[in-house]
Amino acid sequence: MTLYKVRLASSALEDAHVVDRLRYGWDYLEQAISLWHLVDPVRANALVEFVERVSNADEGPTCFAGDDLVTLAHMTAGMEDAIRVTGIIDRHGRVPPERLAELKRLVPAMDLETERTLEDKTNALLEVIGNAEGLHEFLSEALRDGCVVVNN
């Protein structure tokens, strides 16, 4: 699902102006959760619970606004550094080839099935991290721009 950064003209989402969008943004959120499970399961579970609470709060699309947007941006921050510190990826962002299958089970978004070289596959986790970091940047920009984030 796409995430939209919108500026509200009133309290109704129908009157909102779309400022930007992040295609596959909801997928990137799910990827961020799987990445946090690698290094901080408590944070991953808290993120799942938070997203479920916000998603179930209203009928219609999920809307992250105000403190909820601040919380979501905070909970998606620092992932790459946390993964690097654990040694899962090296200083170039690569995963040792012998760990690829194990990590694929934990991070299903890793692309190991397509016709790729082994070197490209060792960068597959970094690609997923890039998606999650892109999500974090999108959320941070929404905060700076005084917007809300809505899924659709």
Side-chain angles (χ1 to χ4, degrees), residues 16-56:
H17 169 70
V18 175
V19 175
D20 197 3
R21 70 183 177 132
L22 181 63
R23 290 188 67 197
Y24 312 112
W26 198 262
D27 295 332
Y28 296 166
L29 179 57
E30 291 171 353
Q31 292 172 20
I33 292 167
S34 69
L35 291 168
W36 276 121
H37 273 290
L38 292 176
V39 294
D40 190 344
V42 171
R43 187 171 183 163
N45 292 334
L47 183 54
V48 168
E49 291 172 10
F50 171 74
V51 170
E52 286 176 355
R53 180 183 58 77
V54 174
S55 295
N56 294 329

Side-chain angles (χ1 to χ4, degrees), residues 6 32 42 64 120:
V6 300
V42 171
F64 296 97
D120 287 344

Side-chain angles (χ1 to χ4, degrees), residues 2 6 22 28 50 73 76 79 94 105 108 130 133 148:
T2 300
V6 300
L22 181 63
Y28 296 166
F50 171 74
T76 58
M79 185 174 314
R94 290 188 296 260
R105 285 190 302 279
E133 293 289 326
V148 300

